[in-house]
Amino acid sequence: MWLAFHLLTGGTFLSARNLWNLSVQTASVGVMVGGMVLVIVMRHIDLSVGSILGLTGMIMAVLNARVLPDTSWSGWATLLAGLLVGAAIGAVQGAWVAYLNIPAFIVTLGGLLIWRGFAWILTSGQTVAPLTDRFQVFGGGLGGSIGGPWSWAIGAALVATVVVSDLRSYRRRARSGLPQRDPLLQVLVTALSVALIIGFILIMVGYPDPRTGLPRGMPVPVLIMLAVTALLMWVVRATRFGRYVYAFGGNPEAARLAGINTARLTVMVFALMGLLAALAGAIQTARLNAGTNSTGTLAELRACL
């Protein structure tokens, strides 16, 4: 598909500039995907994430443009307020599912309509703009990238992590007598992972800053997406919370009888989903430099698919 688009656009689609912009545009969805995976693993669904994204984005836009002064901390204060609202909305929806036994489909379908309505009521349908430069950093604006040297430093760290992780996993399975890949195949798999990382960094540094001509490097939204993905992977693989989520998804009744507080777990997962939707709202609102009522429309479909 990429090659077809590249040919149809006369060599524009696979340019560094277009791929850089696509990575920024998809970062908000990438942030929500991890939370949606946990929701789906627990046999639920959250259809309200697009509306939560829109509401929290509008709240952050109002705070940033009309309430908070333009100071060094205003961008972070705006983000924190949005995250708290998103987590609270998710927790409320999770409580309806966990303690009132209302299907998540019904609860979040109602949330899809309700939270979008609150976003409209908040500003009477007005678009709120412009936002401060410090908040726009979260959306990958002109100052929302880390430059070439730092991008290569992060790329080197990722390469080292992949190599060390694959090597440790190979040795651990060998000591345990578990079946594993042929050594040559393992080297090829690791080399492919390293090549993908290097290729990604090359694309990120291949798009120059229009003001200075220097490489823009990784955009902040992509860094946020990578950090969220890495954190959730660690949570799923190495924490009790992650094991409980998969135990609940395998057999909710067995998980409850095993002593897991399944109601609290459900609330926590939905609260996490709400927090990630708010984080996606911050990214998208900052990228647009405006809070609009249409922000996040149909984002629930993209996150679920």
Side-chain angles (χ1 to χ4, degrees), residues 24-298:
V24 173
Q25 292 169 12
T26 57
S28 59
V29 177
V31 165
M32 293 190 294
V33 164
M36 189 62 74
V37 167
L38 297 182
V39 171
I40 293 174
V41 165
M42 290 189 65
R43 305 186 181 191
H44 296 303
I45 194 68
D46 192 340
L47 301 177
S48 67
V49 292
S51 296
I52 295 175
L53 187 159
L55 173 59
T56 54
M58 184 62 80
I59 289 173
M60 286 184 277
V62 171
L63 287 175
N64 191 258
R66 300 179 178 178
V67 179
L68 296 176
D70 185 8
T71 62
S72 59
W73 51 265
S74 61
W76 291 102
T78 301
L79 177 63
L80 178 61
L83 295 180
L84 290 176
V85 171
I89 292 174
V92 168
Q93 293 187 151
W96 280 67
V97 174
Y99 295 106
L100 300 181
N101 294 318
I102 302 175
F105 183 92
I106 301 301
V107 172
T108 58
L109 182 61
L112 182 149
L113 303 173
I114 293 170
W115 309 127
R116 182 70 63 185
F118 273 120
W120 192 93
I121 292 172
L122 186 63
T123 62
S124 299
Q126 299 175 5
T127 295
V128 179
L131 307 181
T132 63
D133 293 340
R134 292 178 177 86
F135 186 71
Q136 289 183 52
V137 168
F138 299 121
L142 288 177
S145 54
I146 62 174
W150 280 109
S151 297
W152 281 114
I154 291 177
L158 291 174
V159 167
T161 300
V162 167
V163 172
V164 171
S165 176
D166 286 358
L167 183 60
R168 286 182 175 177
S169 177
Y170 188 86
R171 289 179 174 176
R172 188 185 308 117
R173 294 181 68 87
R175 287 196 303 267
S176 303
L178 298 174
Q180 55 188 348
R181 298 188 182 100
D182 179 81
L184 179 59
L185 179 58
Q186 180 62 59
V187 170
L188 291 175
V189 170
T190 303
L192 178 60
S193 300
V194 170
L196 289 173
I197 293 172
I198 294 175
F200 176 71
I201 300 298
L202 285 172
I203 292 172
M204 294 297 102
V205 301
Y207 179 33
D209 191 314
R211 300 169 299 174
T212 64
L214 298 174
R216 297 194 68 173
M218 277 193 190
V220 171
V222 174
L223 286 175
I224 294 173
M225 179 186 68
L226 293 176
V228 169
T229 302
L231 178 62
L232 290 179
M233 288 177 64
W234 174 78
V235 166
V236 167
R237 295 178 179 180
T239 67
R240 183 183 300 176
F241 173 78
R243 292 193 291 270
Y244 284 179
V245 168
Y246 275 88
F248 183 97
N251 191 321
E253 184 63 18
R256 186 184 66 81
L257 295 175
I260 298 174
N261 190 333
T262 55
R264 184 176 63 184
L265 184 68
T266 301
V267 173
M268 291 173 65
V269 168
F270 274 93
L272 176 61
M273 184 69 257
L275 185 144
L276 293 177
L279 182 57
I283 292 172
Q284 201 157 332
T285 302
R287 184 176 68 85
L288 295 174
N289 191 25
T292 68
N293 291 109
S294 61
T295 302
T297 302
L298 298 181

